[in-house]
Amino acid sequence: MTQLSDGVDTLTVRIDDRVLTAVPHYVLGVIAVPVVEVAPAPPAVSTLLTAAEDALHAAGLDKAGVAELPGIVAWREAYRAVGVNPNRFPCAAESIARRVAKGDRLPRINALVDLCNAVSLGAALPVASCAVDGLADLVVRPADGTETYLPLGAPEAPEQPEPGEVVYADADGRAHSRRWNWRQGHLVRTDLGRHRLLLTVEAAHPDGRAEVVDALARLATVLDELSDGTRQEAVLDGAATSVVLRSPSLVVDTATGSNPGSRR
């Protein structure tokens, strides 16, 4: 199974109102990169990830301590609000933080995945890189149970999300995550090579917007070194639930927010 094909110039990203009803403080920050050649991590990214791991090691947190980090506490509450047991299915940020807190190192994947892991560990928020080549829309919404999800690394074993489970989905009935951000799908994995990327940062606590903006800034600083610097950013929440990303401009739905601008 290959990744999605090229050929779509716009990408609409949206938060379904039902998600915000369940988790009113949900914030989704995005950075769109029209094209980047994903390569092994350069020394600067490797240093960032190692420093984030070292900081967590130095904090001396155990599994319970990780679960008490403010950003992760909010995600555990958000998961419960949508019917997911966070002990069985920890959010992406808690999952990698638990692993590092045990004294481990994360596997080194590539420049973009390693960068996202470094920022996630530092912020205690879910941070992901999605290859969105060919995608025209992506909605964070409750599943209806008919969507097809291809597990990361096992696309030959498709799954169907449970009805009501929050997923990243497209208009073609494909789910690109399970249990919100617990697992990413195979089709949007970021592997080596040329890709159109969407980087996401998510928060679920009352003051999360500022932390999302800060994490986006940390991602953007390094992205400028990994690409030609062309990127577009937006922050979605209850006040602005939809954004249309297109090259070279970025337009937020006029019914829900204003144009946050693009950067080159």
Side-chain angles (χ1 to χ4, degrees), residues 98-123:
R98 279 185 186 181
R99 182 169 182 171
V100 174
K102 292 190 301 183
D104 293 344
R105 299 281 180 185
L106 297 175
R108 270 46 179 175
I109 308 298
N110 58 54
L112 272 299
V113 175
D114 293 358
L115 171 61
C116 288
N117 284 341
V119 174
S120 179
L121 288 174

Side-chain angles (χ1 to χ4, degrees), residues 199-238:
L199 276 60
T200 63
V201 181
E202 298 173 285
H205 54 294
D207 300 317
R209 185 183 180 94
E211 294 177 33
V212 166
V213 170
D214 181 67
L216 290 175
R218 281 181 272 166
L219 289 170
T221 297
V222 180
L223 278 172
D224 286 347
E225 303 300 320
L226 300 177
S227 65
D228 68 359
T230 302
R231 53 185 166 81
Q232 303 166 327
E233 300 177 25
V235 179
L236 304 181
D237 55 18

Side-chain angles (χ1 to χ4, degrees), residues 5 20 35 61 70 72 93 117 137 152 155 182 227 236 257 260:
S5 62
L20 290 164
V35 61
L61 300 177
I72 290 175
N117 284 341
D137 65 285
L152 184 63
W182 171 67
S227 65
L236 304 181

Side-chain angles (χ1 to χ4, degrees), residues 152-168:
L152 184 63
E156 70 286 350
E159 302 172 358
Q160 285 187 316
E162 299 174 5
E165 176 184 334
V166 177
V167 297
Y168 278 75

Side-chain angles (χ1 to χ4, degrees), residues 173-186:
R174 297 174 297 196
H176 298 290
S177 72
R178 289 294 311 269
R179 298 178 180 88
W180 209 323
N181 52 47
W182 171 67
R183 287 286 187 270
Q184 187 181 66
H186 190 79

Side-chain angles (χ1 to χ4, degrees), residues 72-91:
I72 290 175
V73 166
W75 272 108
R76 293 176 67 84
E77 294 173 353
Y79 269 36
R80 291 189 184 99
V82 296
V84 176
N85 181 349
N87 294 317
R88 183 179 179 189
F89 305 107
C91 78

